[in-house]
Amino acid sequence: MAFMSGDFVYVAGNLATDPRVQRFPAADGMYDEVVWLTVAVNHTGAATEYVELEARGKTKEYIKNLIASPVKPLCKGSFVMAGGSPAKAKGNKRKLKLVVFSSETSLGYDVLNWDRLRGNGQADE
């Protein structure tokens, strides 16, 4: 699912790969670090779209903490919701500079279990 609000785009889908951390040399002799995530966004009646997410700053640190967690809440197949500003990408992928990111809902339930709600209208207790 993808939504657009002005120059800001929101996407929701499953991670197509594990998150990747890359380091690049910076002008000050140190390095710049980026976290990349690829989200598979399923569109009704259309092909799956792969959106490349680029995280820097506080969002990068938040994602790195999730990656380092022993329970691996953020890996290939994990459901994520993200938002950011569109950026240039290679090929036919869309790329977002990540600003907002979540791997769970505010209510804390597993978003991938939406199918169970269709059966009886209630979540499992």
Side-chain angles (χ1 to χ4, degrees):
M1 148 176 32
F3 299 100
M4 186 179 254
S5 175
D7 287 343
F8 205 80
V9 177
Y10 297 93
V11 295
N14 294 80
L15 289 180
T17 62
D18 287 336
R20 306 165 310 280
V21 179
Q22 270 188 310
R23 290 183 175 179
F24 303 95
D28 60 2
M30 300 296 283
Y31 66 88
D32 188 17
E33 198 172 55
V34 180
V35 174
W36 298 98
L37 302 104
T38 303
V39 177
V41 180
N42 294 318
H43 298 285
T44 305
T48 300
E49 176 185 15
Y50 294 93
V51 180
E52 196 74 28
L53 305 177
E54 173 188 328
R56 296 175 185 261
K58 290 180 183 178
T59 305
K60 172 197 70 174
E61 294 303 322
Y62 172 72
I63 293 170
K64 281 178 58 180
N65 286 335
L66 288 175
I67 294 168
S69 169
V71 295
K72 301 293 180 207
L74 194 60
C75 59
K76 181 178 179 178
S78 299
F79 179 83
V80 296
M81 295 176 279
S85 303
K88 288 186 178 181
K90 294 179 182 177
N92 60 353
K93 284 187 182 176
R94 191 162 37 137
K95 179 178 162 187
L96 299 180
K97 290 193 176 188
L98 201 54
V99 176
V100 178
F101 178 85
S102 177
S103 60
E104 61 182 43
T105 67
S106 59
L107 298 176
Y109 53 80
D110 185 355
V111 181
L112 293 179
N113 288 336
W114 281 105
D115 289 337
R116 75 175 178 206
L117 296 175
R118 292 186 190 149
N120 60 10
Q122 297 181 12
D124 296 336
E125 303 272 336

